[in-house]
Amino acid sequence: MDPSAFFKVIVNCNEVLYKIHLAKENDENISELELNSYTAELKLIRAWIYFKMVQIYGSVPYFEEPLSNYGKSMGLKEKLDSLQTEDYILDTIMTQIIEIDTFDLNMLEESPFFCIRFNKFTNWALQGDIYLWRNNYSFARRSYDKV
């Protein structure tokens, strides 16, 4: 299975995360709540993609930098050329998505596309799936109980 479609999503998430602060600078109507919600959603999407890649391939390249900085960063080239272990990737994404629990997210049902957006419930479900994948059944249950 060709992983390029997975990496297209990761590259897009990284680019938007790198530039999301520009939205606030260019549009005063964007609230901190909206910015936090978009940031959390992008991190959750990227984490879910990496989790799926770990399930399919095991070790994969892991990077959070935008490709628009590719020429400026030799470290990025090294990351793209090396494979990270399943444990490294899962530890990294778990740290990030657990941190999202502390974000103040837009959970209002009247929010645009509320029913199809990533949110705290999606986050807890993903945490549960990762714990389950790692055979940590008590933490998986704890995460699933929140959903």
Side-chain angles (χ1 to χ4, degrees), residues 1-130:
M1 184 173 182
D2 180 13
S4 62
F6 291 121
F7 282 112
K8 285 179 185 176
V9 175
I10 290 168
V11 165
N12 284 323
C13 288
N14 290 347
E15 288 294 333
V16 176
L17 284 166
Y18 179 69
K19 296 176 182 176
I20 200 163
H21 68 281
L22 298 174
K24 185 97 169 139
E25 292 173 15
N26 294 319
D27 185 354
E28 65 220 23
N29 295 321
I30 294 178
S31 69
E32 204 62 38
L33 180 65
E34 287 175 297
L35 220 52
N36 284 344
S37 296
Y38 292 136
T39 300
E41 287 180 77
L42 289 162
K43 288 183 177 186
L44 280 169
I45 291 167
R46 183 177 64 194
W48 182 80
I49 294 292
Y50 271 119
F51 179 51
K52 291 298 154 194
M53 289 177 67
V54 161
Q55 289 179 307
I56 295 167
Y57 306 107
S59 298
V60 296
Y62 183 87
F63 61 100
E64 296 175 9
E65 297 82 5
L67 287 186
S68 59
N69 281 358
Y70 182 78
K72 301 174 191 169
S73 172
M74 291 310 294
L76 178 57
K77 181 176 177 359
E78 290 172 16
K79 288 180 181 180
L80 293 172
D81 290 340
S82 64
L83 299 177
Q84 294 297 332
T85 65
E86 177 180 317
D87 283 338
Y88 174 85
I89 293 169
L90 295 180
D91 288 344
T92 301
I93 63 176
M94 279 300 283
T95 299
Q96 292 174 0
I97 65 176
I98 288 171
E99 178 191 12
I100 291 170
D101 279 345
T102 66
F103 284 27
D104 186 21
L105 300 180
N106 189 350
M107 298 288 290
L108 304 174
E109 290 192 28
E110 63 270 8
S111 299
F113 311 110
F114 172 80
C115 62
I116 59 172
R117 293 181 72 165
F118 280 67
N119 55 41
K120 287 190 180 212
F121 303 112
T122 314
N123 184 2
W124 297 325
L126 179 56
Q127 287 178 37
D129 288 352
I130 294 170

